[in-house]
Amino acid sequence: MNNHEEAISLIHYCAEAVGNTHTFGHLTSSIYDTAWVAVLRKPGVPGLLFPECYQYILDQQHAGSGWGKSPESEIDGIMSTLGGLFALGRNLDIIQSQIFRGELAIRIQNGAEFLNGKLQTWDVASCDHVGFEIIIPCMLEHLNQQGLTFTFPGKTLLAKLNEKKLGKIHPAVWSGKVQTTITHSLEAFLGKGDFSRLKDQRVLGGMGSSPASTAAYLMSCSEWDDEVETYLRTVLGSRWVGEIGGVPGMYPTTGFEVLWIASTLLEDGFDAESLPGIESLLTIIGEFHGSLDGLASGFSKSSVADADDTAKSIMICNLLRVPTSVDKLVKTFEGKTHFLTYMMERHPSVTTNCNILSAILVSPDPEKFVPQIEKIATYLCGSWKQADIPFQDKWNISEFYPIMLLSQALCRLVEAWDKGKINEISKDLLAEDIALVLLEVLVQTLQKQNANGSWGHIPSKEITAYAIIALGNLASMPFASKMSLVIRDAIEKGRSFINLTGIAPEIEYVWIAKTNYSPIKISRAYILAALETKYPKYFLSPALNNIFKVPIKDMQKYTHVLSNFPTLKGYPPWIIEGSVTQASFFLNRLKTVRLHMFDRQNLKGDEYLEFIAMTLTCANNLHGSFLKTDILFDMMGFILHVYEVDEYFEHVIGRVYEDHLPEIKQRVEWLLDDQWANKTTVSIDASSKKRKREHTSEGGSAASASNGHGSQTPSPVSTDSVYYTTPLGESTKDKRLSETSWAMIAEKIKSFAATVIDNKAVKRADPTDVQLLKTELHKCLISHITQLEDSRCHNQSLENGSEWKVSGGSYYAWTHTTAAAHSCSPLSLAFFRCLFPQDIAGRKVSAEEQYLIQDLWMHFGNKARMENDRASVRRDRNEGNLNSLDFPEFTRWVDRDDIKVAVAQLTRIIEYEKKCCKLGFEALAALEDGKKKNSQIEALRFYYFLVDIYNDVYVLKDISSERK
């Protein structure tokens, strides 16, 4: 059977649901749900009601271990083993398959040990399986009653999530008057909730289309319910060879399977003409819409409606040229910042919003819904970009499932704008957010392809299909034209992987409900769509090049430059080119956050804006860190501000106020102490009490010092003045710094400090990390003044022919104090650390790990400063800046002008610092548990790679600003 024939067979399978929406479904079995059915006993009837289910549980236990169908999924093993232990504990009196009580005790012990191991490493915060926060606490209580007690790190957080979820459940749900999703998880309330009035919520005997929930309901019935028993027997009768005795986590799944199969095929690779009989599915959609007032459900036409399935049903109708409005979908599920999947959901679904956006865009009048289109697009872009929002989905374990739907939805939005269907859409949203997100998605998807052509952390045909479909859509975008050959090669390699046999399991448990499962027919639809989809999917007009602002000329120039960096040699040129394009989307935004600390008209060199953006995007993509967009931009802005403050100290403080350095240092100390004494933020307008009280000079007043805008002579370093202007009244060394001048200096320093401390990510960071950041900021600012003092002292010794007294006593001492802090590496790393969202599961950083991390910061700082000095000897000597090679250790035995010998020595010291960094990374790696990546350690590796790129930049060209 070829691909088209198989697609037609899937449509015929869906057509079987016509007039049969209550008994349709082909999902794999759930160990957890089967366990609940396996313990049912009918009053007056000896033994188990469904012994085949108990046999299934016995057969599914792994030898000497627990239960689970998805080894890579922690929560699947936890939920399945909770169910297995629950069934064995309840059935101790049952002898089945010659398994007696003694062997059951061993099985229970093995399962409990397996479960305990899983719970110890369970990341509760990242879990999003259906109802886990109410189900798992309930199951743990049941096991506790059976004599099994578990304590684990995430238990406190689980209790909080449980309390929060229960708080959302209105008492009215138990009245039975309103159908809610709570009926899908009634087992979590067994013995706690009153099910007596929920009888009318049954759908052909089933509760919430969940066998587990239905079994729990039956257990609570005061009288036996034959209709419920019939439902469970129907479910068991739907099984096939290999699944006999098991029950799926959901049944029926009419809406889910019919709507997903049909929409998947129609969106990519097929159309109505190539799928004869697909129009018959409109009958099923009509049944859903008629029964649910214009909405749809993933289960049956009598189940609770949801936005996801409703969106799919509307898409199918419109793709089959049956005009269908989204009015009811929007009215029912629109939220303040996004669309809901259903009521009482804990947090939104990325993929539901993708499907709703696609449904709106293919509807007859998308222009009518521009506000909703912009709302969803903004939410989706934010989900991709924002550090505190994980880009993952609650219905599928693979990142490529939401990536696929995001690509489909946003590319369809771009195509709709290009065709004039949504002219009123924000061009800024298109040019600055959507374009950047789609480019990042494209580059990352291409990079994450495995060597064998597949995608996913394990070889997976279905996950590979998701990526191929995404690439087919992304290939339509203007910035993809330069990567067209790479995209084509990736798609064809992916297709070759799919067509191979024996390299991936036929059933892949990548979908999420209460446990992991596979909707076998839907999975096959995605694979067929991937094999047949066209690329590029859309042909867009040249006008989009103006909106997306692809800088072809500069891109080629910078790609060539970066490709020749030693650190970047050997990497595929297309990744560098894609990174340069990505950087161009950051530039306009980066320009808006400049501090403009002083007028730069007498400086040459302003290339660091481009290099900051490009080095960050290259490091992110080439190193494979794939930091969230907002983290990347925050680091760009931070590095920009570091360059600006470095310029300000060097070209203003160091030249205009060189006779006042000790006083400025003292005042900066007081300023910072006062600012942070009782505050977590930096107020740019706040004045220093100490300064007003103790440092009112003869030429100024406390009033002018407090705001910097008194009646005195205007600041000589305001943005409209020349940086080298000598302050009026300050031409002599004996006179103290005027309060007007200090007020302007203080304003500049506080403006820089504010960009660091008042960053949104910093404000939500751990207080200990914030305090560490403040400490490094203090050291960095003071070290800039100390560096100026040391440079001045050194220059005077050269002029006088006198011996220079080394600050700190030696080069080693200087590098580990002033130089490291002046390099800004420790400050950068402390800031970088705060950008990562806190692990709300409570991962504790040990004293050993913290020590190693901060020791690495110091070695990073040493290495960065030394590499910078090695590359900027000429500039430093021309401008009188202290350089590593000026220290006596380098000049004691050789002439100061013999730079080659000194550089060789410095290079060997740099190599030593590199070895120290390597040793530090090895020590940190030894602390990792081997399963989860530590985001802080990954950030350190990224930063190390970034520093190497900056070293290459300085070797090629010193991008710091010089005087003309």
Side-chain angles (χ1 to χ4, degrees):
M1 199 163 39
N2 62 35
N3 294 336
H4 279 78
E5 290 170 341
E6 188 175 356
I8 292 170
S9 74
L10 287 178
I11 298 302
H12 291 165
Y13 163 75
C14 292
E16 294 174 13
V18 175
N20 182 36
T21 65
H22 289 94
T23 57
F24 184 87
H26 201 78
L27 308 188
T28 55
S29 297
S30 160
I31 294 170
Y32 169 78
D33 282 80
T34 304
W36 276 92
V37 179
V39 302
L40 288 173
R41 305 189 189 205
K42 191 171 185 177
V45 179
L48 300 173
L49 181 62
F50 299 108
E52 64 269 42
C53 291
Y54 186 44
Q55 187 61 52
Y56 182 86
I57 295 298
L58 294 173
D59 292 342
Q60 288 294 316
Q61 184 173 13
H62 302 298
S65 185
W67 288 261
K69 294 194 172 184
S70 180
E72 66 280 358
S73 172
E74 210 164 38
I75 186 63
D76 183 71
I78 290 171
M79 287 288 292
S80 298
T81 303
L82 284 169
L85 289 172
F86 173 69
L88 266 57
R90 286 287 187 106
N91 293 341
L92 286 174
D93 61 322
I94 301 295
I95 298 175
Q96 191 156 320
S97 298
Q98 298 302 305
I99 298 175
F100 294 91
R101 195 180 185 104
E103 185 176 339
L104 279 181
I106 295 173
R107 282 173 168 257
I108 290 173
Q109 181 181 349
N110 291 336
E113 290 175 356
F114 173 82
L115 176 59
N116 184 62
K118 287 285 185 183
L119 290 172
Q120 298 309 314
T121 58
W122 179 29
D123 183 5
V124 178
S126 66
C127 185
D128 207 15
H129 278 53
V130 174
F132 81 93
E133 66 271 63
I134 57 174
I135 292 173
I136 292 180
C138 167
M139 295 301 292
L140 290 172
E141 287 181 25
H142 286 306
L143 296 189
N144 185 53
Q145 293 168 7
Q146 295 173 192
L148 298 174
T149 304
F150 300 90
T151 301
F152 50 97
K155 199 169 187 178
T156 301
L157 175 59
L158 180 62
K160 290 179 181 178
L161 295 176
N162 177 260
E163 183 180 1
K164 185 177 180 180
K165 182 73 172 184
L166 294 178
K168 289 187 174 184
I169 301 174
H170 195 278
V173 303
W174 304 112
S175 68
K177 295 179 181 179
V178 180
Q179 204 174 34
T180 69
T181 55
I182 207 69
T183 57
H184 187 69
S185 304
L186 288 181
E187 72 271 21
F189 303 95
L190 184 62
K192 299 176 182 178
D194 181 9
F195 300 168
S196 61
R197 289 182 287 180
L198 297 179
K199 187 173 183 178
D200 291 341
Q201 300 296 324
R202 297 171 306 163
V203 177
L204 290 184
M207 273 292 178
S209 300
S210 164
S213 184
T214 303
Y217 171 77
L218 187 56
M219 289 179 191
S220 73
C221 290
S222 55
E223 296 183 3
W224 191 256
D225 193 321
D226 290 326
E227 191 174 337
V228 172
E229 180 183 344
T230 300
Y231 164 81
L232 292 172
R233 292 195 181 280
T234 300
V235 176
L236 279 163
S238 71
R239 303 291 82 193
W240 59 92
V241 176
E243 299 286 343
I244 301 299
V247 299
M250 300 170 286
Y251 188 90
T253 48
T254 314
F256 177 39
E257 295 195 60
V258 170
L259 298 175
W260 252 251
I261 290 171
S263 62
T264 298
L265 296 176
L266 285 172
E267 278 197 90
D268 287 280
F270 302 88
D271 53 28
E273 287 69 30
S274 62
L275 297 171
I278 195 170
E279 289 84 357
S280 66
L281 304 187
L282 292 171
T283 304
I284 300 173
I285 294 174
E287 287 187 50
F288 275 101
H289 287 181
S291 178
L292 296 172
D293 192 22
L295 304 176
S297 164
F299 303 133
S300 73
K301 64 181 181 181
S302 303
S303 302
V304 180
D306 66 84
D308 219 5
D309 292 281
T310 302
K312 287 289 190 182
S313 69
I314 293 171
M315 285 180 64
I316 293 169
C317 290
N318 286 301
L319 290 174
L320 291 177
R321 302 182 184 88
V322 177
T324 306
S325 173
V326 294
D327 284 328
K328 190 61 185 286
L329 170 65
V330 170
K331 182 180 179 180
T332 306
F333 296 105
E334 184 176 11
K336 186 177 180 181
T337 60
H338 58 270
F339 276 70
L340 307 175
T341 307
Y342 49 81
M343 302 305 153
M344 295 192 300
E345 69 177 343
R346 190 158 60 92
H347 48 72
S349 164
V350 168
T351 58
T352 295
N353 280 269
C354 288
N355 288 328
I356 294 171
L357 178 55
S358 289
I360 294 173
L361 291 169
V362 299
S363 67
D365 48 358
E367 189 75 36
K368 175 182 171 183
F369 299 97
V370 165
Q372 288 76 21
I373 291 171
E374 290 185 340
K375 176 185 292 187
I376 298 173
T378 300
Y379 161 73
L380 293 175
C381 290
S383 296
W384 175 266
K385 292 162 59 177
Q386 293 174 25
D388 58 336
I389 301 178
F391 191 76
Q392 59 189 36
D393 190 61
K394 62 172 69 178
W395 311 120
N396 194 292
I397 66 171
S398 173
E399 64 177 314
F400 292 105
Y401 180 66
I403 280 175
M404 171 187 67
L405 292 174
L406 179 74
S407 302
Q408 288 176 316
L410 293 185
C411 288
R412 181 175 273 118
L413 188 157
V414 173
E415 191 262 351
W417 180 86
D418 188 53
K419 296 294 187 290
K421 297 178 183 178
I422 48 172
N423 293 322
E424 299 305 312
I425 204 79
S426 165
K427 288 185 174 60
D428 287 342
L429 178 64
L430 273 170
E432 295 180 13
D433 293 321
I434 293 174
L436 176 59
V437 167
L438 289 175
L439 175 58
E440 289 182 339
V441 170
L442 173 60
V443 173
Q444 291 186 26
T445 300
L446 288 170
Q447 277 194 265
K448 290 180 179 180
Q449 186 173 28
N450 300 318
N452 62 2
S454 70
W455 276 269
H457 57 287
I458 56 173
S460 168
K461 293 184 178 182
E462 184 174 351
I463 292 174
T464 299
Y466 300 157
I468 291 173
I469 292 170
L471 290 177
N473 283 268
L474 294 166
S476 312
M477 297 299 102
F479 48 69
S481 60
K482 286 283 184 178
M483 294 180 269
S484 59
L485 294 179
V486 178
I487 295 171
R488 184 181 69 181
D489 184 57
I491 289 176
E492 293 308 321
K493 283 175 65 178
R495 287 175 170 173
S496 296
F497 170 82
I498 289 174
N499 286 322
L500 291 174
T501 58
I503 58 171
E506 290 303 313
I507 298 177
E508 301 170 351
Y509 298 90
V510 300
W511 289 78
I512 297 172
K514 292 175 184 177
T515 57
N516 290 23
Y517 70 99
S518 172
I520 297 173
K521 302 290 188 181
I522 294 175
S523 300
R524 196 60 201 165
Y526 278 117
I527 289 172
L528 292 172
L531 291 173
E532 294 296 325
T533 191
K534 296 177 182 178
Y535 58 92
K537 184 175 180 178
Y538 305 111
F539 291 95
L540 306 175
S541 70
L544 270 174
N545 285 321
N546 297 325
I547 291 293
F548 279 30
K549 301 173 185 174
V550 182
I552 303 298
K553 183 178 179 181
D554 288 344
M555 184 171 66
Q556 292 174 339
K557 178 183 76 173
Y558 284 123
T559 299
H560 175 74
V561 170
L562 290 165
S563 296
N564 286 310
F565 284 2
T567 302
L568 304 185
K569 276 192 173 179
Y571 285 101
W574 71 264
I575 304 180
I576 297 175
E577 188 169 301
S579 300
V580 171
T581 306
Q582 182 185 349
S584 70
F585 288 113
F586 282 104
L587 278 179
N588 285 338
R589 186 179 168 197
L590 196 57
K591 289 175 182 177
T592 66
V593 300
R594 291 184 72 161
L595 293 175
H596 298 290
M597 298 189 79
F598 66 104
D599 183 10
R600 307 183 74 261
Q601 63 177 305
N602 291 286
L603 296 179
K604 64 179 181 179
D606 192 19
E607 297 178 81
Y608 54 72
L609 275 170
E610 288 81 3
F611 273 102
I612 286 170
M614 289 185 295
T615 51
L616 264 295
T617 53
C618 276
N620 193 40
N621 294 327
L622 295 172
H623 186 258
S625 307
F626 305 127
L627 301 174
K628 294 276 269 184
T629 312
D630 282 358
I631 293 179
L632 210 58
F633 180 76
D634 279 344
M635 278 303 292
M636 289 179 187
F638 173 81
I639 294 173
L640 169 61
H641 297 152
V642 164
Y643 269 107
E644 288 187 285
V645 80
D646 189 65
E647 281 185 335
Y648 179 71
F649 273 98
E650 182 177 342
H651 297 292
V652 178
I653 301 295
R655 303 192 182 280
V656 179
Y657 301 112
E658 62 177 343
D659 293 329
H660 301 277
L661 293 178
E663 181 184 354
I664 291 173
K665 180 190 283 189
Q666 184 64 72
R667 286 188 174 217
V668 170
E669 290 269 14
W670 283 328
L671 174 68
L672 297 177
D673 288 345
D674 186 63
Q675 285 293 316
W676 296 337
N678 298 301
K679 302 173 185 177
T680 56
T681 60
V682 176
S683 171
I684 292 179
D685 295 325
S687 62
S688 168
K689 293 179 182 178
K690 287 185 179 180
R691 172 164 48 81
K692 288 194 291 184
R693 183 175 65 250
E694 302 175 13
H695 296 284
T696 303
S697 70
E698 296 175 6
S701 67
S704 65
S706 67
N707 56 35
H709 300 288
S711 59
Q712 292 188 313
T713 304
S715 168
V717 288
S718 61
T719 55
D720 58 317
S721 66
V722 181
Y723 78 88
Y724 54 78
T725 300
T726 301
L728 295 177
E730 295 188 26
S731 59
T732 65
K733 297 182 180 180
D734 298 329
K735 198 162 185 177
R736 298 183 66 182
L737 185 69
S738 77
E739 290 304 325
T740 303
S741 295
W742 164 245
M744 286 304 298
I745 293 171
E747 181 185 359
K748 302 299 184 184
I749 291 173
K750 285 190 287 187
S751 69
F752 170 66
T755 65
V756 178
I757 302 302
D758 291 348
N759 178 278
K760 289 181 180 179
V762 172
K763 284 187 173 183
R764 61 174 177 260
D766 185 273
T768 303
D769 291 338
V770 175
Q771 187 56 49
L772 186 58
L773 174 62
K774 289 180 178 180
T775 300
E776 294 298 341
L777 177 56
H778 179 277
K779 290 195 296 187
C780 177
L781 290 171
I782 297 301
S783 72
H784 272 74
I785 304 173
T786 304
Q787 166 82 10
L788 294 173
E789 292 176 320
D790 289 345
S791 294
R792 189 182 188 201
C793 182
H794 177 257
N795 290 333
Q796 288 175 344
S797 70
L798 289 177
E799 291 172 7
N800 301 333
S802 59
E803 181 181 356
W804 174 46
K805 293 183 179 180
V806 178
S807 173
S810 69
Y811 176 65
Y812 174 88
W814 180 77
T815 57
H816 285 71
T817 51
T818 301
H822 184 262
S823 75
C824 296
S825 275
L827 173 60
S828 301
L829 287 158
F831 179 76
F832 196 25
R833 181 186 181 102
C834 290
L835 298 184
F836 288 85
Q838 295 303 301
D839 182 357
I840 60 173
R843 190 187 76 83
K844 294 179 174 61
V845 178
S846 68
E848 182 183 5
E849 180 180 331
Q850 183 64 32
Y851 182 90
L852 290 171
I853 286 173
Q854 286 190 251
D855 185 58
L856 270 172
W857 290 4
M858 179 61 70
H859 289 297
F860 282 11
N862 295 345
K863 174 178 174 290
R865 177 55 193 257
M866 292 173 186
E867 288 176 333
N868 191 319
D869 281 1
R870 181 175 60 180
S872 59
V873 178
R874 177 192 61 81
R875 174 181 177 269
D876 286 340
R877 292 196 172 175
N878 285 343
E879 299 195 356
N881 299 323
L882 184 64
N883 187 287
S884 290
L885 300 190
D886 293 324
F887 278 77
E889 287 90 335
F890 293 96
T891 60
R892 185 172 292 132
W893 312 115
V894 296
D895 188 89
R896 182 173 183 268
D897 295 326
D898 192 352
I899 294 177
K900 287 186 179 180
V901 174
V903 166
Q905 290 187 71
L906 183 59
T907 299
R908 288 192 290 272
I909 297 173
I910 292 171
E911 291 304 314
Y912 171 78
E913 288 294 338
K914 288 181 180 179
K915 291 176 182 177
C916 291
C917 292
K918 182 175 182 292
L919 185 63
F921 277 125
E922 290 172 353
L924 280 174
L927 298 179
E928 294 186 273
D929 60 19
K931 293 182 179 179
K932 300 177 188 174
K933 284 188 175 180
N934 183 323
S935 62
Q936 297 291 347
I937 297 175
E938 288 300 305
L940 283 172
R941 294 189 177 108
F942 162 82
Y943 189 85
Y944 188 84
F945 185 70
L946 177 65
V947 170
D948 280 344
I949 296 176
Y950 272 110
N951 179 46
D952 290 342
V953 172
Y954 277 104
V955 169
L956 172 73
K957 176 179 176 59
D958 185 350
I959 62 172
S960 298
S961 299
E962 297 183 64
R963 287 180 295 164
K964 291 181 181 177

